[in-house]
Amino acid sequence: AQSVAQPEDQVNVAEGNPLTVKCTYSVSGNPYLFWYVQYPNRGLQFLLKYITGDNLVKGSYGFEAEFNKSQTSFHLKKPSALVSDSALYFCAVRDTNAGKSTFGDGTTLTVKP
Amino acid sequence: DGGITQSPKYLFRKEGQNVTLSCEQNLNHDAMYWYRQDPGQGLRLIYYSQIVNDFQKGDIAEGYSVSREKKESFPLTVTSAQKNPTAFYLCASSITGDRTVSGNTIYFGEGSWLTVV
């Protein structure tokens, strides 16, 4: 079985400060890991993914995420937050042995000016 | 433009009524999915289809039905058996649902709101 956890329902940061949105996962095989962003009343937009290779993955809008196998984590980061980054963020995992992905419950990021 | 189109954006259902949500994609993707989103509960998989004329139940299929007669279309019917259908419904697709293909990114439509009145 596969699972993913986003331990924080809400993350608040000031504009210009670095941000981190946490994600941990559990899989039986090797993980494929994804981050998506959702703005109000919209669908999810793909940000980045980890398949293999370099543990630091760079994605859209200046976001990046670091795969840490020993800690089974895939935290989303950005060096300098923007007010426009305020949204709901989802982490997802797919076990290489699974036919479908599992999504976390989401973390609401609020960036204050 | 390539993408996934869901319609209608807002739909109201009366008690005992079946309603159908449309999902069309022009990405030439083999796999398509339906998710339900409730506040604070993330996304839950209703049904998915890896190829035309084939589909599988997800985690919460009861009270829903689907068809996949064409590659580009995957409509979802919310039946009267679904007792709590009020939610945001998301259709999605990926190049293939084949588990052996690494890192298939799932792409989403803009969603449809269903409300029981």
Side-chain angles (χ1 to χ4, degrees), chain A residues 41-102:
Chain A
N41 206 30
R42 303 289 298 277
L44 277 67
Q45 297 178 34
F46 169 72
L47 280 178
L48 52 81
K49 67 181 178 184
Y50 171 81
I51 305 303
T52 186
D54 194 346
N55 289 343
L56 184 63
V57 178
K58 294 187 182 297
S60 306
Y61 313 118
F63 284 95
E64 58 188 29
E66 185 167 11
F67 171 64
N68 188 316
K69 188 172 183 178
S70 63
Q71 297 185 7
T72 61
S73 67
F74 189 57
H75 301 331
L76 181 70
K77 299 181 179 183
K78 187 174 182 180
S80 179
L82 300 172
V83 173
S84 57
D85 292 330
S86 298
L88 182 59
Y89 290 81
F90 287 98
C91 181
V93 66
R94 179 173 174 174
D95 191 321
T96 52
N97 297 318
K100 49 190 172 77
S101 299
T102 298

Side-chain angles (χ1 to χ4, degrees), chain A residues 32 34 36 38 41-46 49 51 88 90 94-101 103-106, chain B residues 9-10 35 37 40-43 45 48 50 59 88 90 97-99 101-106 108-110 113:
Chain A
Y32 302 135
F34 305 82
Y36 291 84
Q38 184 181 33
N41 206 30
R42 303 289 298 277
L44 277 67
Q45 297 178 34
F46 169 72
K49 67 181 178 184
I51 305 303
L88 182 59
F90 287 98
R94 179 173 174 174
D95 191 321
T96 52
N97 297 318
K100 49 190 172 77
S101 299
F103 286 79
D105 288 340
Chain B
K9 181 69 176 181
Y10 300 96
Y35 291 90
Q37 185 177 18
Q41 293 192 36
L43 276 65
L45 183 64
Y48 65 106
Q50 295 180 325
D59 301 318
F88 190 53
L90 288 158
D98 188 340
R99 68 179 63 180
V101 177
S102 66
N104 262 324
T105 301
I106 296 175
F108 287 82
E110 289 295 298
W113 280 105

